[in-house]
Amino acid sequence: MAIAFGAYAYHHEDTAVKTEPAAGPLDMYLGTWRATLRNDLGKHTRRLVIRPGGVADTVMTLTADGPLGQGRTYHCVFTAKLESATFSSLRLSGSTVASGKPPSSCATGTASTLILLSENTLRRVNEGNKDRLTYTRTSNAWDHPRTGPPLPHGFTRTPD
Protein backbone atom coordinates (compact mmCIF):
# COMPACT_ATOMS: atom_id res chain seq x y z
CA MET A 1 0.00 0.00 0.00
CA ALA A 2 1.42 3.41 -0.93
CA ILE A 3 0.39 6.92 0.04
CA ALA A 4 1.73 9.98 -1.79
CA PHE A 5 2.98 13.04 0.11
CA GLY A 6 4.54 15.70 -2.13
CA ALA A 7 7.38 14.19 -4.13
CA TYR A 8 7.53 10.89 -2.23
CA ALA A 9 5.33 7.84 -2.02
CA TYR A 10 5.52 6.09 1.34
CA HIS A 11 4.94 2.39 1.60
CA HIS A 12 3.72 0.73 4.75
CA GLU A 13 6.84 -0.66 6.46
CA ASP A 14 8.79 -0.27 3.19
CA THR A 15 11.10 2.27 1.56
CA ALA A 16 10.34 5.64 0.01
CA VAL A 17 9.95 5.66 -3.75
CA LYS A 18 10.42 8.86 -5.78
CA THR A 19 7.33 9.83 -7.76
CA GLU A 20 6.53 12.76 -10.03
CA PRO A 21 3.86 14.78 -8.20
CA ALA A 22 1.09 16.44 -10.12
CA ALA A 23 1.85 20.15 -10.28
CA GLY A 24 -0.59 22.19 -8.27
CA PRO A 25 -0.84 25.77 -7.04
CA LEU A 26 0.93 25.07 -3.74
CA ASP A 27 3.93 23.49 -5.52
CA MET A 28 5.08 26.88 -6.83
CA TYR A 29 5.41 28.17 -3.24
CA LEU A 30 7.22 25.19 -1.68
CA GLY A 31 10.56 25.98 -0.15
CA THR A 32 12.32 28.37 2.18
CA TRP A 33 11.99 32.14 1.85
CA ARG A 34 13.76 34.98 3.71
CA ALA A 35 13.04 38.64 4.38
CA THR A 36 14.63 41.38 6.45
CA LEU A 37 13.02 44.36 8.18
CA ARG A 38 14.89 47.31 9.64
CA ASN A 39 13.75 49.83 12.22
CA ASP A 40 15.31 52.00 14.93
CA LEU A 41 16.07 48.87 17.01
CA GLY A 42 17.97 47.16 14.18
CA LYS A 43 17.61 44.27 11.76
CA HIS A 44 14.72 41.77 12.05
CA THR A 45 14.85 38.55 10.02
CA ARG A 46 12.02 36.35 8.82
CA ARG A 47 12.35 32.76 7.56
CA LEU A 48 9.19 31.40 5.93
CA VAL A 49 8.93 27.70 5.05
CA ILE A 50 6.10 26.35 2.90
CA ARG A 51 5.56 22.57 2.98
CA PRO A 52 3.26 20.30 0.97
CA GLY A 53 -0.26 19.80 2.26
CA GLY A 54 -3.92 20.28 1.59
CA VAL A 55 -6.62 22.62 2.83
CA ALA A 56 -6.66 22.71 6.67
CA ASP A 57 -3.10 21.29 6.89
CA THR A 58 -0.30 23.26 8.54
CA VAL A 59 1.83 24.27 5.55
CA MET A 60 3.62 27.38 6.80
CA THR A 61 6.22 27.90 9.50
CA LEU A 62 7.53 31.40 10.09
CA THR A 63 10.56 32.08 12.28
CA ALA A 64 11.02 35.69 13.38
CA ASP A 65 14.17 36.99 15.07
CA GLY A 66 15.28 40.44 16.03
CA PRO A 67 16.27 42.97 18.68
CA LEU A 68 13.99 44.20 21.46
CA GLY A 69 16.34 46.92 22.66
CA GLN A 70 18.67 47.13 25.66
CA GLY A 71 20.61 44.11 24.33
CA ARG A 72 17.58 41.81 24.41
CA THR A 73 16.33 39.80 21.42
CA TYR A 74 13.25 37.81 20.47
CA HIS A 75 12.80 34.49 18.69
CA CYS A 76 9.28 33.50 17.63
CA VAL A 77 8.05 30.50 15.63
CA PHE A 78 4.58 30.66 14.10
CA THR A 79 2.53 28.17 12.08
CA ALA A 80 -0.45 28.63 9.77
CA LYS A 81 -2.83 26.35 7.89
CA LEU A 82 -3.72 26.43 4.22
CA GLU A 83 -7.20 27.85 3.64
CA SER A 84 -7.12 27.95 -0.17
CA ALA A 85 -4.70 27.78 -3.07
CA THR A 86 -4.94 29.12 -6.60
CA PHE A 87 -2.23 29.70 -9.16
CA SER A 88 -2.29 33.42 -8.27
CA SER A 89 -2.23 33.23 -4.46
CA LEU A 90 -2.33 31.14 -1.28
CA ARG A 91 -4.57 32.09 1.62
CA LEU A 92 -3.32 31.11 5.06
CA SER A 93 -5.20 31.00 8.34
CA GLY A 94 -4.27 33.24 11.21
CA SER A 95 -0.92 32.19 12.61
CA THR A 96 -0.48 30.52 15.97
CA VAL A 97 2.58 30.75 18.19
CA ALA A 98 4.47 27.45 18.25
CA SER A 99 7.22 28.82 20.50
CA GLY A 100 8.66 32.12 21.59
CA LYS A 101 11.35 33.74 23.72
CA PRO A 102 10.38 35.82 25.49
CA PRO A 103 6.77 34.62 25.17
CA SER A 104 5.44 38.17 25.54
CA SER A 105 7.16 39.18 22.27
CA CYS A 106 5.15 36.70 20.15
CA ALA A 107 1.46 37.12 19.36
CA THR A 108 -0.91 35.24 17.08
CA GLY A 109 -1.58 36.86 13.71
CA THR A 110 -4.52 37.31 11.38
CA ALA A 111 -5.02 35.49 8.09
CA SER A 112 -2.60 36.34 5.30
CA THR A 113 -2.22 35.92 1.57
CA LEU A 114 0.93 34.86 -0.27
CA ILE A 115 1.32 36.21 -3.80
CA LEU A 116 4.05 34.88 -6.06
CA LEU A 117 5.72 37.84 -7.76
CA SER A 118 8.32 35.77 -9.62
CA GLU A 119 9.86 32.32 -9.37
CA ASN A 120 12.04 33.51 -6.48
CA THR A 121 10.02 36.35 -4.92
CA LEU A 122 6.74 36.35 -3.01
CA ARG A 123 4.78 38.90 -1.04
CA ARG A 124 2.91 38.14 2.18
CA VAL A 125 0.01 40.48 2.90
CA ASN A 126 -1.39 40.51 6.43
CA GLU A 127 -5.16 40.81 6.23
CA GLY A 128 -5.46 42.45 9.66
CA ASN A 129 -3.37 45.55 9.10
CA LYS A 130 -2.53 45.16 5.38
CA ASP A 131 1.22 45.07 6.17
CA ARG A 132 3.24 43.62 3.30
CA LEU A 133 6.61 41.95 3.30
CA THR A 134 8.50 40.66 0.26
CA TYR A 135 10.46 37.43 0.61
CA THR A 136 13.23 35.94 -1.53
CA ARG A 137 13.46 32.20 -2.09
CA THR A 138 16.59 30.68 -0.58
CA SER A 139 15.80 27.03 -1.25
CA ASN A 140 13.32 24.90 -3.16
CA ALA A 141 13.63 22.27 -0.44
CA TRP A 142 10.70 22.40 1.94
CA ASP A 143 12.06 19.97 4.50
CA HIS A 144 14.15 16.87 4.90
CA PRO A 145 12.06 13.76 4.13
CA ARG A 146 12.69 12.36 7.62
CA THR A 147 11.10 15.37 9.27
CA GLY A 148 8.29 16.12 6.82
CA PRO A 149 4.56 16.08 7.50
CA PRO A 150 3.15 13.47 9.87
CA LEU A 151 2.38 10.05 8.39
CA PRO A 152 -0.63 7.86 9.20
CA HIS A 153 -0.18 5.38 12.05
CA GLY A 154 1.90 2.38 11.04
CA PHE A 155 3.73 4.10 8.18
CA THR A 156 7.43 4.85 8.24
CA ARG A 157 9.59 7.40 6.48
CA THR A 158 12.96 6.37 5.05
CA PRO A 159 15.80 8.51 3.64
CA ASP A 160 16.36 9.03 -0.10
Side-chain angles (χ1 to χ4, degrees), residues 10-157:
Y10 293 93
H11 295 271
H12 189 264
E13 304 298 327
D14 207 347
T15 59
V17 178
K18 288 268 191 178
T19 62
E20 261 320 297
L26 182 63
D27 294 341
M28 299 183 310
Y29 293 83
L30 298 180
T32 303
W33 305 80
R34 291 199 186 270
T36 302
L37 303 157
R38 295 188 189 279
N39 66 13
D40 58 338
L41 294 175
K43 180 173 128 179
H44 305 260
T45 61
R46 302 292 184 264
R47 180 178 178 263
L48 179 79
V49 177
I50 303 295
R51 294 176 177 78
V55 171
D57 291 338
T58 299
V59 297
M60 184 206 78
T61 302
L62 174 68
T63 304
D65 293 291
L68 289 171
Q70 300 174 350
R72 297 179 309 132
T73 61
Y74 66 89
H75 174 80
C76 303
V77 178
F78 303 92
T79 60
K81 296 181 180 194
L82 180 65
E83 289 189 346
S84 65
T86 67
F87 285 102
S88 61
S89 66
L90 297 182
R91 180 170 164 78
L92 302 173
S93 68
S95 61
T96 59
V97 178
S99 66
K101 289 184 180 181
S104 61
S105 65
C106 310
T108 59
T110 61
S112 62
T113 301
L114 301 181
I115 302 162
L116 204 59
L117 303 175
S118 72
E119 181 180 348
N120 293 312
T121 309
L122 70 76
R123 178 170 294 141
R124 182 173 183 219
V125 180
N126 181 313
E127 298 201 5
N129 58 15
K130 302 297 182 199
D131 279 350
R132 303 165 179 250
L133 187 57
T134 301
Y135 290 79
T136 302
R137 186 189 306 264
T138 60
S139 170
N140 287 329
W142 59 272
D143 208 351
H144 191 279
R146 283 183 249 190
T147 59
L151 296 176
H153 178 72
F155 287 77
T156 59
R157 183 177 276 113

